[in-house]
Structure formats: structure tokens, C-alpha cells
């Protein structure tokens, strides 16, 4: 099973590549490698298979100045000399014997016969041209002379029909034929032009101004002067604005009129360093001699900085909030929201990098200690099925398998949101803003509804497919937890800070019963067979409740706050864990204690296996206990120790596998084989993992992370 950073394929080159481009289909790469001399350096342009690293084709080139792949992946634009140098040789006699005295001419001619031959008299190089090649086989579709070697940049329109060529002026060419569509005027820009998403507008920077050109008419729609030269720019907000970075400032320009919507000063800018903007225009990065700094474009503040090696390059992941940094001392991936390092490797000298269009692979170019060049394809998101990015930390996660795999997540930024999305694609289904903070989130057993509890006291039920709110039941204090009963009505039981546990009708939200507690009710669980409800109270007591009547059947106590509660799959056992370090295993029929797990510090999590054979308990003592609960009394079967506290754990619904999430600074979900305790996989996260959940069919595993991502992984690991 692949892990993040694992090398998937390697291509060996004569020298380190000077440029790497992904074909938009993600199946191949275009690389340029050679001496790098602008005029006569021997170079090759090559296409590499992105899966195997195998060379698909090569084309000789000299001094390639610009390269671009069309968005449809069919053609490749090249500025430079396609072909190779040709040495011109002629048959030359070393000496002109006729100029010698008569008595020496015979000897001279005899010497010439022995030493005459082909001599190098010159070198012929291909002309400088703008050419378009077929990306599949490198055959030249068309070419035209590049007067004065002026071409600096190419830009394809998003529909691949137009090619903007930037030199001493901007020419708009027909990408299929090379025919001149329009001359767009003289612009002395060091940056490529940029088409709008609908191919209607073309943005260019000229000295200290930004110009938006109407592609249809060739006229400037607007020109906006700026206080200093433009370092980078990009369309954002679905094309409504252009984000422009200069050395010291970031501007947001309205696309319709070029007016400055916002401007901010960059705090402590790195002057004179290349600027990279994220695709959404929200982040700006620069690499100095020994550090990379990332700024928030909204306020100009430094979000973070991280050490880098010499000659570092940075690229934003097009799909995830991550940046990749490659340098002479290695490579690392950094979460762009938090500044935490997701993965790094101190290895070969890396000189170039490019993310695949889906962000799941990274191509790295460089040279080894023996100066051999290479391109490596690295796995960046090797195990996830999908993900969804939120504005703030993701705090809760739930999965359902029916009617189709859905995930529900709770996130918190300026608002609290409950979001449902397709688990296999990350595609949004619905989003609902809540007052307060969402404390609990659960799918109904049939997956057709999900319920939320909130700190403002509301318990809400939503239809999973439409987001329609079925009901809202107000409590007089925060709803701390809730759970569905597996009965036909699929009623919801709530635990509230108003000292009550309530059973709410699944179809109407009508209160079926209410059980008063002496203090706040903090946790609640329903047995999978529907026979019992258990509540945890701030008075340190756990109560077993009759779901039909709400009557308390019996109670038992811890010596501290109860942190975890879980029923076994058949409802024959209940486990509770507290800050007293004790996990009590209780028979819910009689209230009799069956056994206990003892930790030296607070208990953080408890869970039963699907076959009711094992109980897992975790504590702040860095230990996880696996108890055999099929014997009387339950017996400790295995103890595992981890470097950080396990905060959340869950058994696979069908396999002998246990997923465990641990605290930062190295936040992972570790999946272990319950039979022998071996690690099956490790899912690295850049920040705290707040929650994890398996889908009922066990095919998917989801995590909620502080880094604003909800991730969905395959549920079964290894084997």
C-alpha cells in the first residue's frame, strides 16, 4: 500500500530537467532537459508516461524559451529551435601546393594525399520558430518564424482554440493552424498572459499596470495603473476579480471595470523573490535564501514561514490546501492553512516540480550525486477516495452507505455548518448554517436523515438528499450529544445541559419522554438492538434507561467525569470510561460489573468490535488495551503503546481492524490488525484529528481535521 511521498515511477535523464509540465489528462508529462544554453545548448523535449516513467517520445531542441500544453492535452506549443546542430564538413587539402616553389610541389601533393579529408568548416542550427506539436507523438502541426527570437510566453485559451504569444507584442493565433487572429498591441511583460475561464478576456501586465483585453475585438477593456511592477496575477471568485501581487502589495481588481476593490500591504515582504499565487488568489508565497513565507491576500498578514534549502521553488496544490517546496536539500509538503509540515524528505537535489491536475501526484525533477538527471512521480494523496475543503476546522464526521455513500461533516469558522457531500467524489449535496457550535452529528440507521445537536440548544433533523429540515426541538441548554434508536421509527435520544435526556419522535420531533438528571447530561448511547439507552451525567453516574418508557432501570458511578460510552453490537455489554482512568464493563440487564480496564491516566475512548469479541480502550497514558470480552471475566488480550495520546478509535464494521487517531504534533490515523497488533497503514494528517467514522458497510473511513479538510479513505486496509 502506497504512502504519501512514495515514489511511483522514475525516469532517468541525461541532465536535470529545466521544465516539467503535466498533460491536463494526468497521464503524461512534458519535460525539457539539456545544457540549458539559450542559443545553442543541446536539449531534448520528452514526453514521459506518468504511471511508469517510460519515455513516450523525444524531440531534439536548442534553447527552448517557452513551452505550454493545451488544456485539452492534444497539442504542445514550443518557442525555440526544434532539431539539433548540424556540423558542416568539407573536403579540404591542408596545403595549397601551387604556392610553393616547383621543386617542392611534388612532395607537397604527396603529403596532401596522405593527410587530406573532411574538415569542420561551420555549424548549421535550426531557425528560431514558434511551433505547435501533437502531444501524442511530437509531429509538428505547424510552425512559423520567430522574428528576433522575441517570444517569451504562451497562453492557451481554456477551450484550446486560441494561443496567445507574448513577445514584443501579443499575437492571438489560431491554435489549430497558427493563423493570426488578431494583433493585441505592444506589451513589455515578463509574465504570461492569462485567459478568463470563458475565453472571452485576456489579462496582461505591462510594466506597472494591468490590462484586460477583449479577445473578440482586440481592444483594451480597461487599464489599471499600479504603484510598482506586477509580480503575479490570477483570476479569482469565478472570474469576477483579478488578484494582483506586486513586490509590496496585493490588489483585488474588479473584472468588469478594473476598479480596485481592495488593496493590502504585505507584511515584511521578501523583495526581489519570485511570487506564486494560489489558484483561488487567496494565498501568496515567496522563497528567500533560507525561508518560504506565505501571506494571506485578504489582509496581507504573514500566515507562516518555513525553512527551505537553497534555490527553492514552490508550487500550490491545485486541489488541496498544501504547498510543495523543492530545493537543493530535499522536498517537503506544507499545509497552507496551518504551516505544518505534512511530509518531507531530505534527499536528492531537486530543481523543479509540478503537481498533477488532481493534486494527488507530484513530479519532481533534479540530479543525483552522480549528476544524472531524473524525474520522479511521487504519491501525494495515495489513500484517500475523496475530500472536501471547508472554511474552518472540521469537528465532526459521519458516513452512511444508503441510499448512496454520503458523508456529513460539521465545521466551524465564522458560522457553524453541517454539510453533506458525496463520499466517493467530495461533491456537495447540501449545507446548513447553525446557530452556536455543532456538538454532535449522526446519520439515521437507514441513512435517509441526519441529526445535529448544537450549543444553542437545538436538536435538528434533516433529510439527507434534500437538506430539508424535518424538525427542530429546542432545549434549555446545549445539546451535548444525541443518538438514533435502531427501531422502525428511528427516534432520536438527546443529552442536554438542561439536565434532561429526551426521546424525540423520528418523524415529528415530538417528545415521547423526558428523564430528569441532577446535573448536565453529557453523553448518550443507544444499544444496537434497541433494548437500552445509556446516559452519562456530570454527577459521575451512568444510567441505564428503558427506551419505551424513559424509566431509569439502574445506575453506576465513576470517581470522575465520564468521557466515553459505548454498547456492544448485540447490546449485551456497556463500557464507560472516565477521568479516573477506569473503564467499567457492565451487563445492562442486571447492572452487574463484568470487568474493568485500568489506565494510569484519564480514559479518552472506548469501542467494541463488530463480533463483540474485543473491547478497545484508550487513555492519556499513551496505552490502548484490547480486552477479550468473550470470556468471564474479560481478559486483557493485548496492550499497545503509542508515542501520543489516542483520542478517538473505531473498529471496522466487518474486519478485525481498528482505526486509532492520535494527538498532534504528528497527527495520524493508524489502522492495526487486531489479531497480531501489526500496523496495516498510517494516514498522515497535518493537524488535530477531531473525529473519525466508518461507513456501515465498512467500505469507507472518514476523518474530520483541524486543517479544514474532511477526508474519505477506503475502509479496508491491507490484506
Amino acid at each position: 500500500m502506497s504512502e504519501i511521498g512514495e515514489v511511483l515511477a522514475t525516469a532517468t535523464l541525461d541532465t536535470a530537467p529545466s521544465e516539467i509540465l503535466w498533460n491536463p489528462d494526468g497521464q503524461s508529462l512534458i519535460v525539457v532537459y539539456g545544457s540549458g544554453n539559450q542559443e545553442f545548448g543541446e536539449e531534448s523535449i520528452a514526453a514521459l508516461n506518468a504511471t511508469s516513467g517510460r519515455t513516450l517520445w523525444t524531440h531534439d531542441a536548442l534553447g527552448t524559451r517557452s513551452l505550454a500544453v493545451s488544456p485539452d492535452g492534444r497539442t504542445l506549443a514550443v518557442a525555440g529551435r526544434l532539431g539539433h546542430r548540424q556540423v558542416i564538413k568539407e573536403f579540404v587539402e591542408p596545403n595549397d601546393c601551387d604556392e610553393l616553389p616547383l621543386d617542392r610541389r611534388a612532395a607537397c601533393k604527396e603529403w596532401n594525399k596522405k593527410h587530406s579529408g573532411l574538415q569542420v568548416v561551420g555549424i548549421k542550427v535550426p531557425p528560431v520558430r514558434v511551433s505547435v506539436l501533437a502531444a501524442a507523438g511530437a509531429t509538428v502541426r505547424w510552425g512559423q518564424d520567430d522574428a528576433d527570437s522575441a517570444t517569451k510566453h504562451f497562453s492557451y485559451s481554456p477551450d484550446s482554440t486560441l494561443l496567445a504569444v507574448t513577445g514584443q507584442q501579443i499575437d492571438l493565433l489560431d491554435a489549430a493552424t497558427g493563423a493570426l487572429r488578431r494583433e493585441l498591441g505592444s506589451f513589455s511583460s515578463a509574465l504570461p498572459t492569462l485567459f478568463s475561464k470563458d475565453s472571452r478576456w485576456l489579462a496582461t501586465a505591462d510594466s506597472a499596470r494591468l490590462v484586460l483585453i477583449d479577445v473578440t475585438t482586440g481592444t483594451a477593456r480597461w487599464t489599471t495603473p499600479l504603484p510598482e511592477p506586477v509580480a503575479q496575477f490570477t483570476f479569482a471568485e469565478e472570474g469576477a476579480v483579478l488578484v494582483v501581487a506586486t513586490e509590496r502589495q496585493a490588489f483585488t481588481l474588479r473584472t468588469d471595470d478594473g476598479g480596485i476593490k481592495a488593496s493590502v500591504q504585505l507584511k515584511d515582504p521578501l523583495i526581489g523573490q519570485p511570487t506564486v499565487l494560489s489558484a483561488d488568489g487567496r494565498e501568496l508565497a515567496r522563497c528567500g535564501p533560507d525561508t518560504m513565507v506565505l501571506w494571506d491576500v485578504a489582509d496581507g498578514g504573514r500566515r507562516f514561514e518555513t525553512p527551505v534549502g537553497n534555490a527553492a521553488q514552490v508550487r500550490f496544490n491545485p486541489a488541496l490546501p498544501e504547498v510543495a517546496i523543492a530545493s537543493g536539500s530535499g522536498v517537503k509538503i506544507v499545509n497552507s492553512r496551518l504551516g505544518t509540515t505534512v511530509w518531507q524528505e531530505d534527499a536528492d537535489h531537486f530543481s523543479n516540480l509540478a503537481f498533477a491536475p488532481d493534486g494527488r501526484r507530484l513530479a519532481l525533477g533534479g540530479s543525483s550525486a552522480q549528476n544524472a538527471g531524473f524525474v520522479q512521480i511521487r504519491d501525494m494523496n495515495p489513500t484517500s477516495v475523496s475530500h472536501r475543503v471547508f472554511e474552518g476546522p472540521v469537528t465532526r464526521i459521519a458516513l452512511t452507505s444508503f441510499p448512496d455513500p454520503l458523508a456529513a461533516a460539521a465545521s466551524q469558522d465564522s458560522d457553524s455548518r453541517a454539510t453533506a457531500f458525496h463520499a466517493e467524489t467530495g461533491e456537495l449535496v447540501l449545507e446548513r448554517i447553525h446557530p452556536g457550535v455543532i456538538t454532535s452529528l449522526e446519520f439515521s440507521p437507514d441513512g435517509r436523515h441526519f441529526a445535529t445537536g448544537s450549543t444553542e440548544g437545538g436538536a435538528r433533523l434533516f433529510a439527507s438528499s434534500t437538506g430539508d429540515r424535518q424538525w427542530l426541538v429546542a432545549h434549555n441548554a446545549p445539546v451535548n450529544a444525541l443518538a438514533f434508536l435502531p427501531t422502525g421509527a428511528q427516534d432520536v435520544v438527546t443529552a442536554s445541559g438542561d439536565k434532561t435526556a429526551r426521546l424525540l419522535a423520528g418523524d415529528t420531533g415530538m417528545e415521547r419522554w423526558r428523564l430528569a438528571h441532577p446535573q448536565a447530561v453529557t453523553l448518550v448511547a443507544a444499544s444496537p438492538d434497541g433494548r437500552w439507552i445509556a446516559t452519562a451525567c456530570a454527577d459521575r453516574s451512568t444510567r441505564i434507561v428503558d427506551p419505551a418508557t424513559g424509566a431509569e432501570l439502574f445506575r453506576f458511578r465513576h470517581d470522575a467525569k465520564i468521557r466515553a460510552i459505548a454498547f456492544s453490537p448485540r447490546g449485551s455489554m456497556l463500557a464507560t470510561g472516565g477521568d479516573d482512568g477506569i473503564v467499567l464493563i457492565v451487563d445492562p440487564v442486571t447492572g452487574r460489573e463484568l470487568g474493568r480496564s485500568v489506565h494510569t491516566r484519564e480514559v479518552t475512548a472506548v469501542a467494541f468490535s463488530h463480533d463483540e469479541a474485543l473491547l478497545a480502550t484508550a487513555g492519556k497514558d499513551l496505552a490502548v488495551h484490547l480486552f477479550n470480552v468473550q470470556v468471564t471475566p474479560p481478559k486483557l488480550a493485548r496492550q499497545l503503546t503509542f508515542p501520543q495520546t489516542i483520542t478517538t478509535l473505531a473498529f471496522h464494521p466487518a474486519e478485525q481492524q481498528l482505526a486509532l487517531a492520535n494527538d498532534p504534533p504528528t497527527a495520524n490515523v493508524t489502522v492495526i490488525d487486531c489479531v497480531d497488533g501489526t500496523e496495516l497503514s498510517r494516514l498522515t494528517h497535518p493537524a488535530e484529528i477531531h473525529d473519525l467514522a466508518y461507513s456501515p458497510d465498512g467500505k469507507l473511513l472518514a476523518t474530520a481535521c483541524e486543517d479544514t479538510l474532511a477526508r474519505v479513505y477506503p475502509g479496508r486496509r491491507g490484506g
Side-chain angles (χ1 to χ4, degrees):
M1 180 169 295
S2 57
E3 299 291 342
I4 186 169
E6 181 175 332
V7 178
L8 301 177
T10 300
T12 303
L13 309 173
D14 295 333
T15 59
S18 57
E19 190 162 5
I20 301 175
L21 296 176
W22 280 86
N23 190 303
D25 64 9
Q27 302 302 307
S28 62
L29 295 141
I30 306 296
V31 300
V32 180
Y33 61 97
S35 68
N37 182 284
Q38 278 283 310
E39 286 301 320
F40 301 115
E42 294 284 1
E43 288 182 342
S44 291
I45 301 173
L48 308 177
N49 183 291
T51 302
S52 65
R54 179 174 59 89
T55 300
L56 302 175
W57 54 256
T58 59
H59 203 302
D60 292 332
L62 301 173
T64 303
R65 294 192 311 281
S66 186
L67 195 69
V69 183
S70 63
D72 62 12
R74 295 180 178 179
T75 59
L76 173 70
V78 182
R81 303 176 188 270
L82 285 181
H84 58 273
R85 293 183 296 176
Q86 295 180 359
V87 177
I88 302 172
K89 295 183 178 180
E90 293 181 359
F91 187 87
V92 177
E93 291 186 342
N95 300 307
D96 186 355
C97 297
D98 292 337
E99 294 184 355
L100 298 178
L102 290 174
D103 60 340
R104 297 176 57 190
R105 290 179 184 177
C108 173
K109 290 179 179 181
E110 188 65 28
W111 193 92
N112 276 351
K113 288 180 182 180
K114 295 179 179 181
H115 296 89
S116 296
L118 292 175
Q119 303 290 326
V120 176
V121 296
I123 295 176
K124 182 180 180 180
V125 296
V128 178
R129 292 171 69 78
V130 170
S131 305
V132 168
L133 286 64
T139 56
V140 177
R141 294 278 184 87
W142 58 263
Q144 58 188 38
D145 290 340
D146 184 10
D148 303 320
S149 301
T151 300
K152 299 176 183 176
H153 301 291
F154 292 121
S155 297
Y156 275 98
S157 61
D159 59 12
S160 299
T161 62
L162 301 174
L163 181 66
V165 181
T166 305
Q168 295 175 349
Q169 64 179 25
I170 299 176
D171 289 332
L172 196 62
L173 308 181
D174 186 305
T177 65
L180 180 65
R181 289 279 191 90
R182 202 170 301 280
E183 293 181 354
L184 301 182
S186 299
F187 295 93
S188 56
S189 175
L191 299 171
T193 57
L194 189 64
F195 280 93
S196 61
K197 191 175 182 179
D198 59 6
S199 302
R200 183 181 176 186
W201 311 103
L202 186 71
T204 184
D206 181 11
S207 184
R209 62 176 181 158
L210 199 79
V211 183
L212 190 71
I213 301 170
D214 187 324
V215 172
T216 304
T217 65
T219 58
R221 186 183 190 187
W222 50 256
T223 299
T224 300
L226 296 168
E228 54 189 357
V230 176
Q232 191 61 268
F233 60 92
T234 188
F235 283 98
E237 296 179 16
E238 295 297 317
V241 301
L242 274 157
V243 177
V244 186
T246 65
E247 290 278 11
R248 296 174 175 82
Q249 296 181 75
F251 298 87
T252 302
L253 309 182
R254 293 186 297 271
T255 304
D256 56 358
D257 60 6
I260 297 177
K261 181 180 178 181
S263 65
V264 297
Q265 293 287 132
L266 298 180
K267 183 179 179 181
D268 302 324
L270 294 176
I271 305 299
Q273 304 299 329
T275 299
V276 182
L277 280 169
S278 61
D280 59 11
R282 296 180 179 181
E283 297 160 331
L284 182 157
R286 286 179 182 147
C287 285
D290 54 10
T291 186
M292 187 213 80
V293 181
L294 188 140
W295 288 266
D296 189 327
V297 171
D299 57 15
R302 282 193 176 203
R303 185 171 286 171
F304 66 86
E305 57 185 83
T306 187
V308 299
N310 60 301
Q313 292 193 27
V314 60
R315 296 289 185 272
F316 282 92
N317 189 314
L320 297 172
E322 296 174 349
V323 291
I325 309 163
S327 69
S329 58
V331 59
K332 66 178 172 179
I333 307 297
V334 178
N335 182 279
S336 61
R337 301 270 172 89
L338 306 173
T340 52
T341 298
V342 176
W343 167 82
Q344 72 177 53
E345 180 176 284
D346 300 326
D348 292 311
H349 178 91
F350 295 111
S351 58
N352 218 313
L353 73 165
F355 273 108
D358 61 4
R360 295 182 178 229
R361 289 163 296 163
L362 178 68
L364 289 163
S367 58
S368 64
Q370 294 74 34
N371 292 321
F374 62 80
V375 172
Q376 295 175 347
I377 311 297
R378 299 283 188 129
D379 208 334
M380 289 293 101
N381 193 21
T383 51
S384 68
V385 173
S386 71
H387 64 270
R388 184 157 189 87
V389 182
F390 293 81
E391 291 298 318
V394 186
T395 56
R396 302 290 295 174
I397 194 78
L399 286 173
T400 185
S401 307
F402 181 84
D404 63 81
L406 290 179
S411 62
Q412 184 68 41
D413 48 18
S414 56
D415 295 308
S416 188
R417 302 170 191 267
T419 303
F421 61 93
H422 291 288
E424 294 181 339
T425 65
E427 181 184 357
L428 178 68
V429 175
L430 59 95
E431 182 179 84
R432 294 293 179 264
I433 295 177
H434 283 51
V437 175
I438 297 173
T439 58
S440 49
L441 181 150
E442 299 289 343
F443 273 107
S444 61
D446 64 8
R448 298 182 184 277
H449 298 87
F450 67 90
T452 62
S454 175
T455 56
E456 50 76 50
R460 294 168 171 83
L461 186 77
F462 298 94
S464 300
S465 58
T466 65
D468 292 341
R469 195 183 76 192
Q470 307 297 292
W471 46 256
L472 163 64
V473 176
H475 294 62
N476 297 322
V479 175
N480 295 318
L482 55 77
F484 280 92
L485 286 181
T487 56
Q490 300 192 9
D491 293 342
V492 178
V493 58
T494 61
S496 176
D498 64 4
K499 305 179 183 180
T500 68
R502 309 184 197 186
L503 185 66
L504 309 177
D507 53 355
T508 65
M510 180 184 69
E511 187 176 304
R512 297 192 187 278
W513 52 253
R514 179 185 304 198
L515 178 62
H517 290 60
Q519 295 185 42
V521 187
T522 56
L523 298 170
V524 67
S527 64
D529 60 5
R531 289 189 298 164
W532 322 106
I533 291 172
T535 64
C537 181
D539 70 350
R540 305 179 182 180
S541 294
T542 299
R543 290 165 172 82
I544 304 295
V545 181
D546 183 344
T549 64
E552 179 183 325
L553 302 177
F554 59 84
R555 73 181 73 170
F556 57 93
R557 288 177 57 85
H558 281 263
D559 288 334
K561 183 175 181 178
I562 302 167
R563 297 287 183 179
I565 188 169
F567 276 102
S568 63
R570 291 191 289 271
S572 62
M573 288 172 282
L574 173 70
T576 60
D579 283 352
D580 55 2
I582 304 297
V583 175
L584 298 177
I585 309 169
V586 175
D587 181 345
V589 178
T590 64
R592 181 173 61 91
E593 182 180 318
L594 302 175
R596 59 175 58 193
S597 171
V598 180
H599 290 263
T600 59
R601 292 193 60 193
E602 303 97 304
V603 175
T604 56
V606 298
F608 284 94
S609 63
H610 71 281
D611 57 2
E612 210 168 63
L614 294 173
L615 169 68
T617 70
K620 290 188 177 181
D621 56 0
L622 310 183
V624 171
H625 298 163
L626 288 176
F627 272 83
N628 179 356
V629 290
Q630 290 184 315
V631 298
T632 304
K635 181 180 179 182
L636 181 64
R638 187 179 303 278
Q639 179 170 318
L640 304 172
T641 303
F642 293 85
Q644 292 137 246
T645 299
I646 299 297
T647 58
T648 308
L649 50 80
F651 279 96
H652 190 280
E655 305 284 343
Q656 291 293 334
Q657 299 181 9
L658 177 65
L660 313 103
N662 63 260
D663 266 343
T666 307
N668 299 306
V669 172
T670 305
V671 181
I672 65 168
D673 185 320
C674 298
V675 176
D676 56 18
T678 58
E679 180 179 316
L680 297 175
S681 67
R682 185 175 300 182
L683 309 174
T684 303
H685 290 61
E688 183 177 359
I689 302 163
H690 293 295
D691 196 14
L692 62 83
Y694 279 104
S695 60
D697 61 8
K699 293 181 178 180
L700 300 172
L701 170 67
T703 62
C705 187
E706 178 75 16
D707 74 340
T708 73
L709 258 70
R711 297 169 171 86
V712 181
Y713 301 91
R716 189 173 184 271
R717 319 302 299 179

